[in-house]
Amino acid sequence: MAYFLKKTKLKNRTYLAIYESFYSHEKKGTAHRCYRSLGSVETLTAGGMADPVAFFQAEVDSLNQAKKAGGTPKISAVSPLIYMGYFPLKSIMEKLKVKKYMDLFKLTNDFQFDLYGLLSSLVYARSVNPCSKLRTFHEVLPSLFHPCNYSYDQLLDGLSFLGANYEKIAELFTAQTSAAYGISTDRTYFDCTNFFFEIDREDGFRMKGPSKENRKDPIVGLGLLLDSNLVPVGMKMYPGNESEKPVLREVVSQMKKQHNIDGRTIHVADKGLNCAENIAFSKKAGDGYLFSKAVKMLPEKEKAWVLLDQGFQEVRDKKGKLLYRYKSCIDRFPYGILHEGKMKTIFLTEKRLLTYSPSLAAKKKHEINRMVEKAKSLTLSQAKRKDFGESGKYVSFTDGEGGKASVSMNQKAIDRDLKFAGYNLLVTSETEMADQDIYSTYHNLWRIEESFKIMKSDLDARPAYVQKEDSIKGHFLVCYIAVLLERILQFHVLENKYSTSDIFDFLKNFRVVKAENKYINTTVYSDFINDLSEKFHLPLTNYFLSETQLKSILNYSI
């Protein structure tokens, strides 16, 4: 392909322009485009140019020689790949209108960069290609369509500032989510998880405690609160050696205070957060609760009711397969709470829903038998107590002569766990709530587990690659906002018609490569991208995209 001088006659004047020929995929042949307009010969001659045609022909020859000398194009150190899948998150972020509030931080801080631009770009980068902050800065941010005008040191400083103020910023996003989409708090879902750090020493924030992955490394805890629409409305981070049970009270109280919520809300959480203090907190606040409860920890009288094979109703699928059985009762149950330094027993009227799932029973029995076999093997090899791990609950350790422990299988503990495998007990203050409503409400908790999975898997929240407490909090704030935007997209924009995996596949894989004069869409076709293209009326499935089309996609307003 080459340059040439084009002469066009119009109204007794001759106009000159340098044109470039190139291969057109649309025409499947050679096409031409204007490289530079030069004006008319008459005007150029009047301006003192002796022979405009010869002068610009020489320039054309020079351009062609330079192009020929350039030889075959070589690969560049800069990747031609451009991430575009974050455009729905960008649109939602702009609809939340948080920038004007983020800009207020400039009044009390001497920032030499745009804090909102830094936060938003880190959220987009985390969504399309999660990796370390160093790789994010050098590899991912340059591949976003819009430029990021800050240095790596500014990135780290900004991340630390975000972490130091993460509760304020999370509150800001909740308030703006409420204004743009509304939040519903008649039922709130809460759960905690933790993230391990592969370090040797604790530092006051990363502390050793009960790990979800049964790791011995220091951990940090994170509590997450969802509203009735299963959209995040609150988060709280805490040292790994602290109990997660008080976090529920703190986060719910904070949310209600910050957003002037005076209506009644039902706190939904799993058995790990079921304690008398949390139940008393819900009652005192005029709220309700729906918790699960460990069946094997019940008093003998209640265990007898669990095992009584009467009063059950069955739920089966279309083929007649038993999914689960359930029965319920309403009664007054005792709880011990600390009052003025002394334990006090109170009685609360509750509805209790018991379910039995054959599939859950089979899974639990398999796990129990696997631990029993492990315990037997370790017993025969005379292993140390610490080597048994969780399987140690099926072993009795008795001190023998010379201080050496005698080890034997605890058959009573094994039989007890096998007997109660498959049962789950839900306790609630909502005595008027229908059994099926209780069941479905509680089982929405899997959305919190999914949110944690998004952080840990889709967003690669661990390892964090940062060390200071504020930087760690800033890192998880970025992950939290990414989950929030994804949830808004999933539930409010796409009306829960698509799975989380569909959405993240699109966010990560909708990419283009800049060619000579256009962009090539490298995304693999899917029903999701086709549906999204039709819903948003955007050329997301086009193979070739112009810069104008890319800008229309990136500036799309949801």
Side-chain angles (χ1 to χ4, degrees), residues 252-280:
V252 172
S253 295
Q254 190 176 43
M255 181 198 68
K256 296 188 78 171
K257 181 180 179 181
Q258 290 170 346
H259 304 291
N260 297 316
I261 298 171
D262 53 11
R264 191 168 186 273
T265 180
I266 302 173
H267 309 153
V268 185
D270 69 5
K271 60 176 66 71
L273 293 155
N274 184 351
C275 64
E277 289 80 5
N278 283 343
I279 287 175

Side-chain angles (χ1 to χ4, degrees), residues 5 7 14 16 18 38 41 44-45 49-62:
L5 185 66
K7 291 176 279 187
T14 302
L16 301 178
I18 297 176
L38 304 173
V41 171
L44 294 169
T45 302
M49 188 177 290
D51 189 349
V53 174
F55 178 86
F56 287 112
Q57 184 60 53
E59 182 175 337
V60 167
D61 294 340
S62 177

Side-chain angles (χ1 to χ4, degrees), residues 197-408:
F197 289 76
E198 294 178 337
I199 58 175
D200 296 325
R201 294 185 178 181
E202 301 170 303
D203 59 10
F205 183 57
R206 295 175 293 180
M207 304 291 289
K208 291 183 179 180
S211 170
K212 303 292 184 181
E213 288 85 12
N214 296 317
R215 306 266 306 201
K216 302 299 182 183
D217 308 291
I219 58 176
V220 296
L222 184 145
L224 189 62
L225 185 71
L226 305 186
D227 75 346
S228 304
N229 297 318
L230 307 172
V231 172
V233 291
M235 69 173 290
K236 178 69 176 179
M237 298 201 69
Y238 55 94
N241 63 340
E242 293 184 3
S243 170
E244 62 187 22
K245 293 179 179 178
V247 180
L248 181 148
R249 304 193 290 273
E250 186 174 347
V251 174
V252 172
S253 295
Q254 190 176 43
M255 181 198 68
K256 296 188 78 171
K257 181 180 179 181
Q258 290 170 346
H259 304 291
N260 297 316
I261 298 171
D262 53 11
R264 191 168 186 273
T265 180
I266 302 173
H267 309 153
V268 185
D270 69 5
K271 60 176 66 71
L273 293 155
N274 184 351
C275 64
E277 289 80 5
N278 283 343
I279 287 175
F281 162 76
S282 300
K283 298 291 286 186
K284 186 176 180 180
D287 293 335
Y289 58 87
L290 172 52
F291 297 149
S292 64
K293 193 176 183 69
V295 173
K296 61 185 179 182
M297 302 301 293
L298 292 172
E300 292 303 320
K301 181 180 178 180
E302 295 180 41
K303 286 181 181 177
W305 176 74
V306 169
L307 297 174
L308 187 63
D309 195 20
Q310 292 180 1
F312 279 102
Q313 297 186 58
E314 296 182 346
V315 176
R316 297 179 179 272
D317 63 14
K318 294 180 179 179
K319 296 182 179 180
K321 180 183 176 181
L322 178 64
L323 298 177
Y324 62 92
R325 302 191 301 160
Y326 69 93
K327 65 179 178 180
S328 64
C329 70
I330 299 174
D331 207 337
R332 287 172 57 80
F333 297 92
Y335 284 93
I337 62 170
L338 191 64
H339 179 67
E340 297 180 353
K342 296 182 180 180
M343 289 301 298
K344 179 182 178 182
T345 300
I346 61 173
F347 287 85
L348 299 176
T349 300
E350 290 181 337
K351 184 171 187 177
R352 297 197 165 185
L353 177 69
L354 178 73
T355 63
Y356 173 81
S357 166
S359 59
L360 178 61
K363 178 184 176 183
K364 289 292 184 183
K365 288 178 180 178
H366 173 74
E367 292 174 355
I368 293 167
N369 289 328
R370 182 169 51 83
M371 283 192 286
V372 168
E373 291 304 315
K374 177 183 177 181
K376 286 180 178 179
S377 176
L378 291 170
T379 300
L380 293 173
S381 63
Q382 297 181 335
K384 296 179 180 180
R385 185 191 297 251
K386 65 179 182 179
D387 297 328
F388 282 83
E390 191 179 356
S391 67
K393 63 183 178 180
Y394 298 131
V395 175
S396 297
F397 296 91
T398 308
D399 289 338
E401 295 181 4
K404 188 174 182 179
S406 174
V407 183
S408 60

Side-chain angles (χ1 to χ4, degrees), residues 59-170:
E59 182 175 337
V60 167
D61 294 340
S62 177
L63 286 170
N64 285 325
Q65 288 176 2
K67 189 168 186 177
K68 185 178 181 180
T72 304
K74 303 294 184 181
I75 60 174
S76 169
V78 179
S79 171
L81 187 71
I82 299 174
Y83 294 101
M84 290 292 297
Y86 66 92
F87 83 85
L89 306 188
K90 177 178 178 292
S91 181
I92 294 170
M93 182 80 100
E94 291 172 351
K95 185 172 181 177
L96 294 181
K97 299 179 180 178
V98 297
K99 185 181 188 310
K100 60 181 179 180
Y101 298 104
M102 293 290 294
D103 287 345
L104 295 177
F105 284 113
K106 296 178 182 178
L107 300 177
T108 54
N109 297 274
D110 187 24
F111 292 132
Q112 300 301 313
F113 55 89
D114 180 5
L115 185 64
Y116 171 80
L118 184 145
L119 173 61
S120 59
S121 62
L122 288 180
V123 170
Y124 305 150
R126 177 62 47 179
S127 300
V128 300
N129 186 3
C131 54
S132 70
K133 298 298 176 289
L134 187 64
R135 281 191 57 203
T136 294
F137 181 78
H138 289 290
E139 298 179 21
V140 185
L141 292 176
S143 295
L144 299 182
F145 191 78
H146 66 289
C148 302
N149 301 314
Y150 52 81
S151 68
Y152 181 63
D153 287 339
Q154 288 174 329
L155 183 155
L156 296 179
D157 290 343
L159 187 70
S160 180
F161 178 84
L162 293 170
N165 296 274
Y166 86 93
E167 291 182 276
K168 292 180 183 177
I169 297 170

Side-chain angles (χ1 to χ4, degrees), residues 494-512:
L494 301 179
E495 300 174 336
N496 199 21
K497 294 179 181 178
Y498 305 95
S499 69
T500 301
S501 60
D502 286 335
I503 293 172
F504 269 101
D505 283 346
F506 172 79
L507 295 178
K508 293 180 178 181
N509 296 321
F510 182 47
R511 296 171 290 188
V512 299

